[in-house]
Amino acid sequence: MEQRYVIAILVDNAPGILTRVASMFNRRGFNIDSLTVSETENPKYSRITISLTGDKSIARQIIKQLNKLYNVKEVEIMEKDVSVYRELALIKLRNSQETRQEILSAVDIFRSKIVDFSPETLCVEITGETSKIEAFISLVQPLGILEMCRTGVVAIERGSNMLNTENT
């Protein structure tokens, strides 16, 4: 059965690592739904978070293949029930007297915020789980989305479990 997997990968913070990881997915025909990467609390390492859809055997194969890459230090599936998932979206909406109140209501209900305002446009920042972002987009779509960008999923384990940059 296909499901969504979020995989956290701890890698050396060095040029070309992201290309190697992405190439591994490409060579095996796996599609990446979203990908985020940044330096960790330890500047020697970066953390790549990849979201993909597939079955359990695909997830196991990806983990196995990632662990074979030289610069990969740790790989972990971020299980939904013990992890926090978040995504960020910036959405530029048409600002008019007819739509402004509806947009402001949606911003309030979804606990998002307006980060830029002009007579013609409103730019909204929204963070949360992907389902929250999708629901907000569906609500404001009829009001006139002019432009949108999303970060993709980031995830971190709850409690004291973590990818360890100290012992690698």
Side-chain angles (χ1 to χ4, degrees), residues 79-116:
E79 301 290 345
K80 183 113 176 109
D81 58 338
V82 293
S83 301
V84 177
Y85 291 5
R86 290 294 181 268
E87 183 176 348
L88 165 73
L90 295 174
I91 304 169
K92 189 179 292 186
L93 299 161
R94 181 171 285 109
N95 182 15
S96 69
Q97 283 192 331
E98 296 80 34
T99 62
R100 188 174 304 123
Q101 194 52 52
E102 282 185 79
I103 293 170
L104 293 175
S105 294
V107 164
D108 186 47
I109 290 166
F110 282 85
R111 295 188 195 117
S112 54
K113 60 183 174 181
I114 295 173
V115 293
D116 187 55

PDB file of all heavy atoms in Angstrom, residues 79-116:
ATOM      1  N   GLU A  79       8.811   8.713  11.610  1.00  0.00           N
ATOM      2  CA  GLU A  79       7.473   8.157  11.810  1.00  0.00           C
ATOM      3  C   GLU A  79       6.517   9.252  12.285  1.00  0.00           C
ATOM      4  O   GLU A  79       6.839  10.011  13.189  1.00  0.00           O
ATOM      5  CB  GLU A  79       7.520   7.013  12.831  1.00  0.00           C
ATOM      6  CG  GLU A  79       8.422   5.863  12.437  1.00  0.00           C
ATOM      7  CD  GLU A  79       7.910   5.043  11.264  1.00  0.00           C
ATOM      8  OE1 GLU A  79       6.724   5.164  10.900  1.00  0.00           O
ATOM      9  OE2 GLU A  79       8.717   4.284  10.687  1.00  0.00           O
ATOM     10  N   LYS A  80       5.352   9.305  11.667  1.00  0.00           N
ATOM     11  CA  LYS A  80       4.386  10.377  11.918  1.00  0.00           C
ATOM     12  C   LYS A  80       3.984  10.493  13.396  1.00  0.00           C
ATOM     13  O   LYS A  80       3.873  11.590  13.918  1.00  0.00           O
ATOM     14  CB  LYS A  80       3.144  10.159  11.052  1.00  0.00           C
ATOM     15  CG  LYS A  80       2.117  11.231  11.164  1.00  0.00           C
ATOM     16  CD  LYS A  80       1.992  11.979   9.885  1.00  0.00           C
ATOM     17  CE  LYS A  80       0.902  13.005   9.928  1.00  0.00           C
ATOM     18  NZ  LYS A  80       1.386  14.340   9.964  1.00  0.00           N
ATOM     19  N   ASP A  81       3.788   9.373  14.063  1.00  0.00           N
ATOM     20  CA  ASP A  81       3.296   9.428  15.441  1.00  0.00           C
ATOM     21  C   ASP A  81       4.344   9.864  16.462  1.00  0.00           C
ATOM     22  O   ASP A  81       3.995  10.213  17.589  1.00  0.00           O
ATOM     23  CB  ASP A  81       2.675   8.090  15.844  1.00  0.00           C
ATOM     24  CG  ASP A  81       3.646   6.930  15.713  1.00  0.00           C
ATOM     25  OD1 ASP A  81       4.623   7.043  14.953  1.00  0.00           O
ATOM     26  OD2 ASP A  81       3.413   5.893  16.376  1.00  0.00           O
ATOM     27  N   VAL A  82       5.626   9.887  16.080  1.00  0.00           N
ATOM     28  CA  VAL A  82       6.670  10.305  17.026  1.00  0.00           C
ATOM     29  C   VAL A  82       7.509  11.457  16.476  1.00  0.00           C
ATOM     30  O   VAL A  82       8.609  11.707  16.953  1.00  0.00           O
ATOM     31  CB  VAL A  82       7.586   9.121  17.429  1.00  0.00           C
ATOM     32  CG1 VAL A  82       6.821   8.085  18.236  1.00  0.00           C
ATOM     33  CG2 VAL A  82       8.256   8.499  16.219  1.00  0.00           C
ATOM     34  N   SER A  83       6.972  12.150  15.472  1.00  0.00           N
ATOM     35  CA  SER A  83       7.699  13.262  14.853  1.00  0.00           C
ATOM     36  C   SER A  83       6.782  14.458  14.667  1.00  0.00           C
ATOM     37  O   SER A  83       5.567  14.322  14.621  1.00  0.00           O
ATOM     38  CB  SER A  83       8.247  12.845  13.477  1.00  0.00           C
ATOM     39  OG  SER A  83       9.102  11.739  13.585  1.00  0.00           O
ATOM     40  N   VAL A  84       7.399  15.607  14.557  1.00  0.00           N
ATOM     41  CA  VAL A  84       6.685  16.839  14.238  1.00  0.00           C
ATOM     42  C   VAL A  84       7.018  17.180  12.787  1.00  0.00           C
ATOM     43  O   VAL A  84       8.195  17.271  12.435  1.00  0.00           O
ATOM     44  CB  VAL A  84       7.127  17.999  15.166  1.00  0.00           C
ATOM     45  CG1 VAL A  84       6.439  19.295  14.779  1.00  0.00           C
ATOM     46  CG2 VAL A  84       6.867  17.650  16.620  1.00  0.00           C
ATOM     47  N   TYR A  85       5.988  17.334  11.950  1.00  0.00           N
ATOM     48  CA  TYR A  85       6.149  17.718  10.547  1.00  0.00           C
ATOM     49  C   TYR A  85       5.676  19.156  10.396  1.00  0.00           C
ATOM     50  O   TYR A  85       4.632  19.525  10.920  1.00  0.00           O
ATOM     51  CB  TYR A  85       5.258  16.884   9.633  1.00  0.00           C
ATOM     52  CG  TYR A  85       5.590  15.426   9.464  1.00  0.00           C
ATOM     53  CD1 TYR A  85       6.591  14.791  10.172  1.00  0.00           C
ATOM     54  CD2 TYR A  85       4.869  14.668   8.559  1.00  0.00           C
ATOM     55  CE1 TYR A  85       6.868  13.448   9.982  1.00  0.00           C
ATOM     56  CE2 TYR A  85       5.129  13.320   8.365  1.00  0.00           C
ATOM     57  CZ  TYR A  85       6.126  12.718   9.082  1.00  0.00           C
ATOM     58  OH  TYR A  85       6.393  11.387   8.889  1.00  0.00           O
ATOM     59  N   ARG A  86       6.412  19.946   9.624  1.00  0.00           N
ATOM     60  CA  ARG A  86       5.984  21.309   9.322  1.00  0.00           C
ATOM     61  C   ARG A  86       6.389  21.668   7.908  1.00  0.00           C
ATOM     62  O   ARG A  86       7.351  21.142   7.357  1.00  0.00           O
ATOM     63  CB  ARG A  86       6.590  22.325  10.290  1.00  0.00           C
ATOM     64  CG  ARG A  86       6.038  22.254  11.690  1.00  0.00           C
ATOM     65  CD  ARG A  86       4.560  22.643  11.725  1.00  0.00           C
ATOM     66  NE  ARG A  86       3.999  22.601  13.041  1.00  0.00           N
ATOM     67  CZ  ARG A  86       3.391  21.554  13.577  1.00  0.00           C
ATOM     68  NH1 ARG A  86       3.294  20.433  12.911  1.00  0.00           N
ATOM     69  NH2 ARG A  86       2.879  21.620  14.784  1.00  0.00           N
ATOM     70  N   GLU A  87       5.649  22.616   7.353  1.00  0.00           N
ATOM     71  CA  GLU A  87       5.921  23.153   6.032  1.00  0.00           C
ATOM     72  C   GLU A  87       5.601  24.640   6.084  1.00  0.00           C
ATOM     73  O   GLU A  87       4.792  25.077   6.894  1.00  0.00           O
ATOM     74  CB  GLU A  87       5.026  22.452   4.999  1.00  0.00           C
ATOM     75  CG  GLU A  87       5.281  22.878   3.575  1.00  0.00           C
ATOM     76  CD  GLU A  87       4.442  22.099   2.559  1.00  0.00           C
ATOM     77  OE1 GLU A  87       3.832  21.087   2.916  1.00  0.00           O
ATOM     78  OE2 GLU A  87       4.417  22.542   1.407  1.00  0.00           O
ATOM     79  N   LEU A  88       6.238  25.413   5.238  1.00  0.00           N
ATOM     80  CA  LEU A  88       5.996  26.852   5.134  1.00  0.00           C
ATOM     81  C   LEU A  88       5.551  27.156   3.711  1.00  0.00           C
ATOM     82  O   LEU A  88       6.095  26.596   2.764  1.00  0.00           O
ATOM     83  CB  LEU A  88       7.275  27.639   5.445  1.00  0.00           C
ATOM     84  CG  LEU A  88       7.296  29.115   5.044  1.00  0.00           C
ATOM     85  CD1 LEU A  88       6.428  29.952   5.965  1.00  0.00           C
ATOM     86  CD2 LEU A  88       8.719  29.635   5.041  1.00  0.00           C
ATOM     87  N   ALA A  89       4.559  28.027   3.586  1.00  0.00           N
ATOM     88  CA  ALA A  89       4.143  28.504   2.265  1.00  0.00           C
ATOM     89  C   ALA A  89       4.009  30.017   2.309  1.00  0.00           C
ATOM     90  O   ALA A  89       3.551  30.591   3.305  1.00  0.00           O
ATOM     91  CB  ALA A  89       2.820  27.879   1.843  1.00  0.00           C
ATOM     92  N   LEU A  90       4.431  30.667   1.247  1.00  0.00           N
ATOM     93  CA  LEU A  90       4.184  32.090   1.027  1.00  0.00           C
ATOM     94  C   LEU A  90       3.237  32.164  -0.157  1.00  0.00           C
ATOM     95  O   LEU A  90       3.525  31.611  -1.220  1.00  0.00           O
ATOM     96  CB  LEU A  90       5.479  32.845   0.723  1.00  0.00           C
ATOM     97  CG  LEU A  90       6.503  32.901   1.851  1.00  0.00           C
ATOM     98  CD1 LEU A  90       7.796  33.550   1.350  1.00  0.00           C
ATOM     99  CD2 LEU A  90       5.951  33.671   3.037  1.00  0.00           C
ATOM    100  N   ILE A  91       2.097  32.838   0.047  1.00  0.00           N
ATOM    101  CA  ILE A  91       1.057  32.882  -0.971  1.00  0.00           C
ATOM    102  C   ILE A  91       0.678  34.336  -1.220  1.00  0.00           C
ATOM    103  O   ILE A  91       0.250  35.045  -0.305  1.00  0.00           O
ATOM    104  CB  ILE A  91      -0.180  32.078  -0.532  1.00  0.00           C
ATOM    105  CG1 ILE A  91       0.243  30.639  -0.199  1.00  0.00           C
ATOM    106  CG2 ILE A  91      -1.262  32.115  -1.601  1.00  0.00           C
ATOM    107  CD1 ILE A  91      -0.817  29.824   0.501  1.00  0.00           C
ATOM    108  N   LYS A  92       0.852  34.773  -2.466  1.00  0.00           N
ATOM    109  CA  LYS A  92       0.487  36.131  -2.853  1.00  0.00           C
ATOM    110  C   LYS A  92      -0.918  36.092  -3.444  1.00  0.00           C
ATOM    111  O   LYS A  92      -1.187  35.364  -4.399  1.00  0.00           O
ATOM    112  CB  LYS A  92       1.467  36.694  -3.883  1.00  0.00           C
ATOM    113  CG  LYS A  92       1.250  38.187  -4.160  1.00  0.00           C
ATOM    114  CD  LYS A  92       2.249  38.716  -5.162  1.00  0.00           C
ATOM    115  CE  LYS A  92       3.649  38.720  -4.559  1.00  0.00           C
ATOM    116  NZ  LYS A  92       4.641  39.369  -5.441  1.00  0.00           N
ATOM    117  N   LEU A  93      -1.805  36.887  -2.840  1.00  0.00           N
ATOM    118  CA  LEU A  93      -3.213  36.905  -3.237  1.00  0.00           C
ATOM    119  C   LEU A  93      -3.602  38.267  -3.790  1.00  0.00           C
ATOM    120  O   LEU A  93      -3.050  39.293  -3.382  1.00  0.00           O
ATOM    121  CB  LEU A  93      -4.100  36.594  -2.024  1.00  0.00           C
ATOM    122  CG  LEU A  93      -3.879  35.230  -1.382  1.00  0.00           C
ATOM    123  CD1 LEU A  93      -4.430  35.206   0.024  1.00  0.00           C
ATOM    124  CD2 LEU A  93      -4.531  34.162  -2.237  1.00  0.00           C
ATOM    125  N   ARG A  94      -4.571  38.252  -4.671  1.00  0.00           N
ATOM    126  CA  ARG A  94      -5.117  39.500  -5.218  1.00  0.00           C
ATOM    127  C   ARG A  94      -5.832  40.236  -4.088  1.00  0.00           C
ATOM    128  O   ARG A  94      -6.656  39.670  -3.382  1.00  0.00           O
ATOM    129  CB  ARG A  94      -6.091  39.172  -6.364  1.00  0.00           C
ATOM    130  CG  ARG A  94      -6.692  40.403  -7.018  1.00  0.00           C
ATOM    131  CD  ARG A  94      -7.470  40.067  -8.286  1.00  0.00           C
ATOM    132  NE  ARG A  94      -6.518  39.784  -9.364  1.00  0.00           N
ATOM    133  CZ  ARG A  94      -6.280  38.583  -9.890  1.00  0.00           C
ATOM    134  NH1 ARG A  94      -6.917  37.536  -9.445  1.00  0.00           N
ATOM    135  NH2 ARG A  94      -5.404  38.433 -10.861  1.00  0.00           N
ATOM    136  N   ASN A  95      -5.494  41.501  -3.883  1.00  0.00           N
ATOM    137  CA  ASN A  95      -6.093  42.326  -2.839  1.00  0.00           C
ATOM    138  C   ASN A  95      -7.117  43.259  -3.472  1.00  0.00           C
ATOM    139  O   ASN A  95      -6.765  44.115  -4.270  1.00  0.00           O
ATOM    140  CB  ASN A  95      -4.995  43.137  -2.136  1.00  0.00           C
ATOM    141  CG  ASN A  95      -5.525  43.987  -0.998  1.00  0.00           C
ATOM    142  OD1 ASN A  95      -6.640  43.797  -0.541  1.00  0.00           O
ATOM    143  ND2 ASN A  95      -4.712  44.914  -0.544  1.00  0.00           N
ATOM    144  N   SER A  96      -8.357  43.057  -3.123  1.00  0.00           N
ATOM    145  CA  SER A  96      -9.412  43.962  -3.579  1.00  0.00           C
ATOM    146  C   SER A  96     -10.408  44.139  -2.443  1.00  0.00           C
ATOM    147  O   SER A  96     -10.423  43.358  -1.495  1.00  0.00           O
ATOM    148  CB  SER A  96     -10.124  43.394  -4.817  1.00  0.00           C
ATOM    149  OG  SER A  96     -10.880  42.257  -4.461  1.00  0.00           O
ATOM    150  N   GLN A  97     -11.223  45.158  -2.550  1.00  0.00           N
ATOM    151  CA  GLN A  97     -12.220  45.388  -1.501  1.00  0.00           C
ATOM    152  C   GLN A  97     -13.178  44.207  -1.391  1.00  0.00           C
ATOM    153  O   GLN A  97     -13.653  43.900  -0.307  1.00  0.00           O
ATOM    154  CB  GLN A  97     -12.993  46.681  -1.773  1.00  0.00           C
ATOM    155  CG  GLN A  97     -12.197  47.918  -1.426  1.00  0.00           C
ATOM    156  CD  GLN A  97     -13.061  49.160  -1.431  1.00  0.00           C
ATOM    157  OE1 GLN A  97     -14.043  49.234  -2.153  1.00  0.00           O
ATOM    158  NE2 GLN A  97     -12.694  50.119  -0.606  1.00  0.00           N
ATOM    159  N   GLU A  98     -13.427  43.522  -2.501  1.00  0.00           N
ATOM    160  CA  GLU A  98     -14.365  42.400  -2.501  1.00  0.00           C
ATOM    161  C   GLU A  98     -13.785  41.175  -1.777  1.00  0.00           C
ATOM    162  O   GLU A  98     -14.536  40.398  -1.192  1.00  0.00           O
ATOM    163  CB  GLU A  98     -14.736  41.996  -3.938  1.00  0.00           C
ATOM    164  CG  GLU A  98     -15.477  43.064  -4.723  1.00  0.00           C
ATOM    165  CD  GLU A  98     -14.551  44.143  -5.293  1.00  0.00           C
ATOM    166  OE1 GLU A  98     -13.395  43.836  -5.661  1.00  0.00           O
ATOM    167  OE2 GLU A  98     -14.986  45.300  -5.346  1.00  0.00           O
ATOM    168  N   THR A  99     -12.476  40.976  -1.863  1.00  0.00           N
ATOM    169  CA  THR A  99     -11.880  39.757  -1.302  1.00  0.00           C
ATOM    170  C   THR A  99     -11.143  39.972   0.018  1.00  0.00           C
ATOM    171  O   THR A  99     -10.879  39.004   0.732  1.00  0.00           O
ATOM    172  CB  THR A  99     -10.873  39.145  -2.301  1.00  0.00           C
ATOM    173  OG1 THR A  99      -9.814  40.079  -2.538  1.00  0.00           O
ATOM    174  CG2 THR A  99     -11.549  38.756  -3.600  1.00  0.00           C
ATOM    175  N   ARG A 100     -10.822  41.196   0.346  1.00  0.00           N
ATOM    176  CA  ARG A 100      -9.958  41.463   1.503  1.00  0.00           C
ATOM    177  C   ARG A 100     -10.500  40.853   2.802  1.00  0.00           C
ATOM    178  O   ARG A 100      -9.749  40.213   3.543  1.00  0.00           O
ATOM    179  CB  ARG A 100      -9.738  42.965   1.672  1.00  0.00           C
ATOM    180  CG  ARG A 100      -8.681  43.294   2.737  1.00  0.00           C
ATOM    181  CD  ARG A 100      -8.356  44.782   2.793  1.00  0.00           C
ATOM    182  NE  ARG A 100      -7.932  45.266   1.495  1.00  0.00           N
ATOM    183  CZ  ARG A 100      -8.519  46.276   0.831  1.00  0.00           C
ATOM    184  NH1 ARG A 100      -9.534  46.925   1.378  1.00  0.00           N
ATOM    185  NH2 ARG A 100      -8.079  46.642  -0.344  1.00  0.00           N
ATOM    186  N   GLN A 101     -11.778  41.024   3.087  1.00  0.00           N
ATOM    187  CA  GLN A 101     -12.326  40.523   4.352  1.00  0.00           C
ATOM    188  C   GLN A 101     -12.292  38.995   4.416  1.00  0.00           C
ATOM    189  O   GLN A 101     -11.973  38.417   5.453  1.00  0.00           O
ATOM    190  CB  GLN A 101     -13.749  41.034   4.584  1.00  0.00           C
ATOM    191  CG  GLN A 101     -14.235  40.825   6.005  1.00  0.00           C
ATOM    192  CD  GLN A 101     -13.258  41.380   7.050  1.00  0.00           C
ATOM    193  OE1 GLN A 101     -12.829  42.520   7.009  1.00  0.00           O
ATOM    194  NE2 GLN A 101     -12.872  40.547   8.001  1.00  0.00           N
ATOM    195  N   GLU A 102     -12.560  38.348   3.294  1.00  0.00           N
ATOM    196  CA  GLU A 102     -12.474  36.882   3.264  1.00  0.00           C
ATOM    197  C   GLU A 102     -11.042  36.406   3.497  1.00  0.00           C
ATOM    198  O   GLU A 102     -10.813  35.430   4.207  1.00  0.00           O
ATOM    199  CB  GLU A 102     -12.977  36.340   1.918  1.00  0.00           C
ATOM    200  CG  GLU A 102     -14.480  36.315   1.791  1.00  0.00           C
ATOM    201  CD  GLU A 102     -14.888  35.656   0.489  1.00  0.00           C
ATOM    202  OE1 GLU A 102     -14.872  34.415   0.420  1.00  0.00           O
ATOM    203  OE2 GLU A 102     -15.216  36.404  -0.446  1.00  0.00           O
ATOM    204  N   ILE A 103     -10.090  37.084   2.893  1.00  0.00           N
ATOM    205  CA  ILE A 103      -8.684  36.727   3.087  1.00  0.00           C
ATOM    206  C   ILE A 103      -8.293  36.917   4.554  1.00  0.00           C
ATOM    207  O   ILE A 103      -7.678  36.044   5.161  1.00  0.00           O
ATOM    208  CB  ILE A 103      -7.764  37.549   2.166  1.00  0.00           C
ATOM    209  CG1 ILE A 103      -8.002  37.168   0.700  1.00  0.00           C
ATOM    210  CG2 ILE A 103      -6.292  37.345   2.543  1.00  0.00           C
ATOM    211  CD1 ILE A 103      -7.328  38.089  -0.299  1.00  0.00           C
ATOM    212  N   LEU A 104      -8.660  38.052   5.130  1.00  0.00           N
ATOM    213  CA  LEU A 104      -8.322  38.316   6.528  1.00  0.00           C
ATOM    214  C   LEU A 104      -8.956  37.287   7.456  1.00  0.00           C
ATOM    215  O   LEU A 104      -8.343  36.856   8.440  1.00  0.00           O
ATOM    216  CB  LEU A 104      -8.739  39.737   6.921  1.00  0.00           C
ATOM    217  CG  LEU A 104      -7.964  40.862   6.228  1.00  0.00           C
ATOM    218  CD1 LEU A 104      -8.550  42.222   6.602  1.00  0.00           C
ATOM    219  CD2 LEU A 104      -6.488  40.800   6.552  1.00  0.00           C
ATOM    220  N   SER A 105     -10.179  36.861   7.150  1.00  0.00           N
ATOM    221  CA  SER A 105     -10.834  35.814   7.951  1.00  0.00           C
ATOM    222  C   SER A 105     -10.081  34.496   7.845  1.00  0.00           C
ATOM    223  O   SER A 105      -9.859  33.813   8.847  1.00  0.00           O
ATOM    224  CB  SER A 105     -12.282  35.617   7.501  1.00  0.00           C
ATOM    225  OG  SER A 105     -13.046  36.758   7.786  1.00  0.00           O
ATOM    226  N   ALA A 106      -9.678  34.123   6.634  1.00  0.00           N
ATOM    227  CA  ALA A 106      -8.925  32.879   6.424  1.00  0.00           C
ATOM    228  C   ALA A 106      -7.588  32.940   7.154  1.00  0.00           C
ATOM    229  O   ALA A 106      -7.176  31.965   7.796  1.00  0.00           O
ATOM    230  CB  ALA A 106      -8.715  32.631   4.931  1.00  0.00           C
ATOM    231  N   VAL A 107      -6.911  34.093   7.081  1.00  0.00           N
ATOM    232  CA  VAL A 107      -5.634  34.280   7.769  1.00  0.00           C
ATOM    233  C   VAL A 107      -5.823  34.065   9.269  1.00  0.00           C
ATOM    234  O   VAL A 107      -5.022  33.389   9.918  1.00  0.00           O
ATOM    235  CB  VAL A 107      -5.044  35.678   7.460  1.00  0.00           C
ATOM    236  CG1 VAL A 107      -3.943  36.052   8.435  1.00  0.00           C
ATOM    237  CG2 VAL A 107      -4.535  35.737   6.023  1.00  0.00           C
ATOM    238  N   ASP A 108      -6.888  34.614   9.826  1.00  0.00           N
ATOM    239  CA  ASP A 108      -7.170  34.494  11.254  1.00  0.00           C
ATOM    240  C   ASP A 108      -7.501  33.048  11.634  1.00  0.00           C
ATOM    241  O   ASP A 108      -6.939  32.502  12.586  1.00  0.00           O
ATOM    242  CB  ASP A 108      -8.318  35.425  11.627  1.00  0.00           C
ATOM    243  CG  ASP A 108      -8.575  35.465  13.116  1.00  0.00           C
ATOM    244  OD1 ASP A 108      -7.599  35.603  13.882  1.00  0.00           O
ATOM    245  OD2 ASP A 108      -9.753  35.334  13.517  1.00  0.00           O
ATOM    246  N   ILE A 109      -8.374  32.402  10.879  1.00  0.00           N
ATOM    247  CA  ILE A 109      -8.795  31.033  11.179  1.00  0.00           C
ATOM    248  C   ILE A 109      -7.621  30.061  11.120  1.00  0.00           C
ATOM    249  O   ILE A 109      -7.495  29.173  11.961  1.00  0.00           O
ATOM    250  CB  ILE A 109      -9.911  30.590  10.203  1.00  0.00           C
ATOM    251  CG1 ILE A 109     -11.199  31.363  10.516  1.00  0.00           C
ATOM    252  CG2 ILE A 109     -10.152  29.086  10.265  1.00  0.00           C
ATOM    253  CD1 ILE A 109     -12.253  31.260   9.437  1.00  0.00           C
ATOM    254  N   PHE A 110      -6.736  30.229  10.148  1.00  0.00           N
ATOM    255  CA  PHE A 110      -5.608  29.315   9.961  1.00  0.00           C
ATOM    256  C   PHE A 110      -4.354  29.730  10.731  1.00  0.00           C
ATOM    257  O   PHE A 110      -3.304  29.127  10.574  1.00  0.00           O
ATOM    258  CB  PHE A 110      -5.280  29.170   8.468  1.00  0.00           C
ATOM    259  CG  PHE A 110      -6.219  28.248   7.745  1.00  0.00           C
ATOM    260  CD1 PHE A 110      -7.420  28.715   7.247  1.00  0.00           C
ATOM    261  CD2 PHE A 110      -5.896  26.909   7.577  1.00  0.00           C
ATOM    262  CE1 PHE A 110      -8.292  27.871   6.580  1.00  0.00           C
ATOM    263  CE2 PHE A 110      -6.756  26.058   6.914  1.00  0.00           C
ATOM    264  CZ  PHE A 110      -7.966  26.537   6.411  1.00  0.00           C
ATOM    265  N   ARG A 111      -4.469  30.778  11.544  1.00  0.00           N
ATOM    266  CA  ARG A 111      -3.346  31.280  12.344  1.00  0.00           C
ATOM    267  C   ARG A 111      -2.119  31.551  11.476  1.00  0.00           C
ATOM    268  O   ARG A 111      -0.992  31.217  11.836  1.00  0.00           O
ATOM    269  CB  ARG A 111      -2.999  30.324  13.478  1.00  0.00           C
ATOM    270  CG  ARG A 111      -4.091  30.191  14.492  1.00  0.00           C
ATOM    271  CD  ARG A 111      -3.618  29.397  15.698  1.00  0.00           C
ATOM    272  NE  ARG A 111      -4.754  28.975  16.481  1.00  0.00           N
ATOM    273  CZ  ARG A 111      -5.100  27.712  16.683  1.00  0.00           C
ATOM    274  NH1 ARG A 111      -4.372  26.734  16.191  1.00  0.00           N
ATOM    275  NH2 ARG A 111      -6.152  27.416  17.395  1.00  0.00           N
ATOM    276  N   SER A 112      -2.368  32.124  10.322  1.00  0.00           N
ATOM    277  CA  SER A 112      -1.267  32.526   9.447  1.00  0.00           C
ATOM    278  C   SER A 112      -1.083  34.028   9.626  1.00  0.00           C
ATOM    279  O   SER A 112      -1.696  34.614  10.508  1.00  0.00           O
ATOM    280  CB  SER A 112      -1.584  32.151   7.999  1.00  0.00           C
ATOM    281  OG  SER A 112      -2.825  32.664   7.590  1.00  0.00           O
ATOM    282  N   LYS A 113      -0.232  34.630   8.802  1.00  0.00           N
ATOM    283  CA  LYS A 113      -0.059  36.072   8.959  1.00  0.00           C
ATOM    284  C   LYS A 113       0.247  36.731   7.619  1.00  0.00           C
ATOM    285  O   LYS A 113       0.803  36.106   6.719  1.00  0.00           O
ATOM    286  CB  LYS A 113       1.019  36.410   9.982  1.00  0.00           C
ATOM    287  CG  LYS A 113       2.399  35.897   9.674  1.00  0.00           C
ATOM    288  CD  LYS A 113       3.331  36.258  10.832  1.00  0.00           C
ATOM    289  CE  LYS A 113       4.688  35.640  10.643  1.00  0.00           C
ATOM    290  NZ  LYS A 113       5.595  35.939  11.718  1.00  0.00           N
ATOM    291  N   ILE A 114      -0.127  37.981   7.549  1.00  0.00           N
ATOM    292  CA  ILE A 114       0.163  38.785   6.364  1.00  0.00           C
ATOM    293  C   ILE A 114       1.557  39.366   6.554  1.00  0.00           C
ATOM    294  O   ILE A 114       1.831  40.029   7.551  1.00  0.00           O
ATOM    295  CB  ILE A 114      -0.892  39.880   6.160  1.00  0.00           C
ATOM    296  CG1 ILE A 114      -2.234  39.223   5.864  1.00  0.00           C
ATOM    297  CG2 ILE A 114      -0.478  40.825   5.039  1.00  0.00           C
ATOM    298  CD1 ILE A 114      -3.412  40.153   5.803  1.00  0.00           C
ATOM    299  N   VAL A 115       2.444  39.089   5.589  1.00  0.00           N
ATOM    300  CA  VAL A 115       3.825  39.548   5.695  1.00  0.00           C
ATOM    301  C   VAL A 115       4.147  40.656   4.707  1.00  0.00           C
ATOM    302  O   VAL A 115       5.209  41.271   4.784  1.00  0.00           O
ATOM    303  CB  VAL A 115       4.825  38.379   5.540  1.00  0.00           C
ATOM    304  CG1 VAL A 115       4.704  37.425   6.728  1.00  0.00           C
ATOM    305  CG2 VAL A 115       4.653  37.645   4.232  1.00  0.00           C
ATOM    306  N   ASP A 116       3.228  40.914   3.769  1.00  0.00           N
ATOM    307  CA  ASP A 116       3.403  42.021   2.835  1.00  0.00           C
ATOM    308  C   ASP A 116       2.026  42.460   2.365  1.00  0.00           C
ATOM    309  O   ASP A 116       1.152  41.628   2.112  1.00  0.00           O
ATOM    310  CB  ASP A 116       4.267  41.612   1.635  1.00  0.00           C
ATOM    311  CG  ASP A 116       4.600  42.811   0.750  1.00  0.00           C
ATOM    312  OD1 ASP A 116       5.148  43.797   1.275  1.00  0.00           O
ATOM    313  OD2 ASP A 116       4.281  42.758  -0.453  1.00  0.00           O
TER     314      ASP A 116
END
